[in-house]
Amino acid sequence: LAKGVTGPIAELAEGTVQVARGNLDVRVTASSDDEVGLLVDSFNQMLSDLRSARADIERSATQLERRRRYMEIVLGKVGAGVVSLDAEGLIRTINPSAQRHLGISLGSQVVGRSLPQVAGAAGVVEAIGSLVGEIQRGAGESVQRQVQVAEGDEAKSFFVTLTAMHDESGKSLGSVVVFDDYSQLMKVQ
């Protein structure tokens, strides 16, 4: 009788150690239909549920990674500059067009830093800063402006749109800045 109880309990203890090490493929064999057998069956069902949950998480992580890569490709191909800022005003994403327009060398590590810290085009950064100020003063969820910026001997013209982002509860997530360089169009006109 003691062997009938201690054997499965010892297997459960070893199975628990294996699970703690990350091995979810452990299977304890039930040798009876009593309470110990019920405990073994419950342990095996728990492991089955954990394997299923792990597979779901891995699938979700793979899908999220695919979406992230897709968004990076899309933003990399867009001619407009796109920058997302978090609620503290720090860069979360920036595409190559935005880096060029803002005078940031491609390949620079700018995520987690503020635009004034990294941008060489001070005029564009000042314009973005004033748009952020307008939204903070209650000008709405989105502000658009045509901005003239002197860069050296050249005058550049940008159409800048800044849009505030909020989650479902209304909490600020930051903002997205999109700007197009209309300098050539202005020259032609």
Side-chain angles (χ1 to χ4, degrees):
L1 183 62
K3 283 183 183 180
V5 173
T6 57
I9 297 294
E11 281 187 60
L12 279 173
E14 177 57 30
T16 303
V17 169
Q18 292 295 320
V19 170
R21 291 181 180 151
N23 180 8
L24 297 182
D25 295 324
V26 175
R27 179 121 179 110
V28 178
T29 54
S31 59
S32 65
D33 291 333
D34 59 1
E35 290 82 7
V36 174
L38 179 63
L39 182 62
V40 169
D41 289 341
S42 296
F43 179 81
N44 289 330
Q45 181 60 47
M46 177 192 72
L47 286 176
S48 175
D49 293 346
L50 285 172
R51 281 191 298 273
S52 176
R54 178 190 274 176
D56 289 346
I57 289 170
E58 288 171 354
R59 275 192 299 277
S60 294
T62 301
Q63 288 175 345
L64 284 173
E65 180 60 22
R66 249 190 252 129
R67 286 181 187 168
R68 185 192 63 75
R69 283 194 311 252
Y70 179 79
M71 290 302 298
E72 283 181 359
I73 291 168
V74 168
L75 287 175
K77 301 296 181 188
V78 171
V82 180
V83 180
S84 68
L85 305 171
D86 64 15
E88 287 78 38
L90 303 177
I91 298 169
R92 287 291 149 226
T93 57
I94 186 167
N95 72 347
S97 293
Q99 287 182 288
R100 278 192 302 279
H101 294 314
L102 292 171
I104 301 170
S105 61
L106 295 176
S108 297
Q109 295 298 326
V110 298
V111 173
R113 299 174 68 191
S114 69
L115 279 175
Q117 287 177 322
V118 298
V124 179
V125 173
E126 288 174 16
I128 292 170
S130 71
L131 293 176
V132 169
E134 285 185 42
I135 285 186
Q136 289 173 342
R137 289 188 298 275
E141 291 293 307
S142 185
V143 181
Q144 298 176 337
R145 295 282 182 277
Q146 185 170 342
V147 178
Q148 297 278 336
V149 178
E151 288 186 8
D153 300 344
E154 197 175 335
K156 291 206 168 201
S157 182
F158 292 97
F159 187 75
V160 182
T161 303
L162 186 130
T163 304
M165 296 186 299
H166 296 91
D167 66 10
E168 306 81 36
S169 65
K171 180 183 173 194
S172 175
L173 297 175
S175 56
V176 175
V177 182
V178 179
F179 50 95
D180 289 305
D181 186 352
Y182 284 98
S183 303
Q184 294 299 333
L185 180 62
M186 297 301 284
K187 285 179 185 178
V188 170
Q189 286 179 350

